[in-house]
Amino acid sequence: MSLKKVLLMGKSGAGKTSMRSIIFANYLARDTMRLCPTIDVEHSHVRFLGNLVLNLWDCGGQEDFVENYFQSQRDHIFRNVQVLIYVFDIESHELQKDMHYFTSCLEALQHNSANARIFVMVHKMDVLPEERRETVFRQREADLKKIAAGIGKFDVHCFATSIWDETLYKAWSTMVYSLVPNAGRLEHHLSALCTACCADELVLFERATFLEVFLVIRQVFPP
């Protein structure tokens, strides 16, 4: 069994527990309104593709808890982390504090899990006018990558997400794919199957969550 520690972090109200409930508990977006804030850290184990198990730590974002993560629980929280998923609320009026917490996360990872992969969800993008979304997202992405470059060799992957469309699933699918062992070998076998079936494309979904794990498109040469 391959156990992967995944931290889900961000300020209270950013949407962490809502997205977790949609992906892993089959909630509808409208049902997340009745969810309560996470208290301290909630642990769950999610099995993917047989032997891959996500050890998911959903970390409450209330200020007292966050300060505690960086002080008395720093080593416990940030040791042996494979993936950090950090959620930014695009509606937040405390951007400086949000960036400070994100910076503190990267600094803690630099000392405890320097090889961790970083995925950032710039969340609740649906509240912005459609014509502004790309510009706002790209600016936030540039700011986050600049912060990461000043701390370590972190490769930050940013996604514009919303619980109301497919963007949330695309972001989580990318994260899960990054953890799949022998991904290249699996993709090779799927490509062979796609060719054998004379299919134009083949998609492998994870059964419980319906996350897309692999997409193979057959290259067809003109006669």
Side-chain angles (χ1 to χ4, degrees):
M1 182 175 70
S2 180
L3 188 66
K4 306 291 187 180
K5 182 176 179 180
V6 178
L7 297 183
L8 180 58
M9 306 191 79
K11 280 185 59 184
S12 180
K16 303 181 299 299
T17 302
S18 293
M19 63 173 63
R20 188 192 74 178
S21 299
I22 289 171
I23 298 293
F24 299 114
N26 295 320
Y27 271 61
L28 297 175
R30 64 174 181 268
D31 295 333
T32 62
M33 306 300 178
R34 57 187 170 87
L35 290 170
C36 296
T38 300
I39 304 300
D40 202 8
V41 181
E42 290 187 7
H43 302 271
S44 58
H45 286 76
V46 184
R47 183 179 294 273
F48 282 89
L49 301 176
N51 291 328
L52 175 62
V53 178
L54 302 188
N55 178 18
L56 186 62
W57 295 39
D58 184 357
C59 301
Q62 293 89 338
E63 193 163 341
D64 289 345
F65 295 139
V66 173
E67 294 298 334
N68 196 33
Y69 302 151
F70 299 129
Q71 296 174 12
S72 61
Q73 296 191 63
R74 183 184 176 100
D75 291 344
H76 174 64
I77 295 287
F78 292 98
R79 185 184 297 124
N80 300 321
V81 174
Q82 274 74 45
V83 167
L84 167 68
I85 301 173
Y86 199 96
V87 182
F88 281 94
D89 180 355
I90 199 64
E91 290 186 296
S92 174
H93 299 295
E94 297 182 305
L95 182 56
Q96 287 300 113
K97 184 178 287 187
D98 295 344
M99 291 298 195
H100 170 69
Y101 286 153
F102 178 68
T103 302
S104 297
C105 285
L106 295 189
E107 289 172 345
L109 287 173
Q110 179 67 16
H111 287 92
N112 291 278
S113 303
N115 293 321
R117 300 179 180 94
I118 313 298
F119 294 87
V120 176
M121 314 290 185
V122 183
H123 198 46
K124 304 183 184 179
M125 292 295 288
D126 56 280
V127 303
L128 294 179
E130 191 168 353
E131 64 272 11
R132 291 189 58 222
R133 292 174 190 173
E134 182 70 13
T135 300
V136 171
F137 171 68
R138 292 303 174 193
Q139 181 59 59
R140 183 64 57 87
E141 179 183 44
D143 293 342
L144 294 169
K145 290 193 172 189
K146 184 177 180 180
I147 289 172
I151 295 172
K153 296 182 179 179
F154 294 114
D155 188 10
V156 177
H157 303 272
C158 298
F159 301 88
T161 57
S162 167
I163 63 173
W164 300 101
D165 59 31
E166 75 285 353
T167 55
L168 185 65
Y169 280 86
K170 288 182 178 180
W172 277 81
S173 294
T174 303
M175 184 276 293
V176 169
Y177 175 83
S178 76
L179 294 174
V180 174
N182 302 316
R185 185 177 177 185
L186 276 171
E187 201 157 7
H188 173 75
H189 288 308
L190 287 171
S191 181
L193 177 61
C194 186
T195 300
C197 295
C198 297
D200 292 326
E201 65 179 42
L202 188 150
V203 185
L204 175 65
F205 294 98
E206 198 282 321
R207 182 174 58 183
T209 62
F210 214 60
L211 290 176
E212 178 189 304
V213 184
F214 292 100
L215 168 64
V216 175
I217 299 175
R218 186 167 64 101
Q219 185 174 4
V220 180
F221 295 98

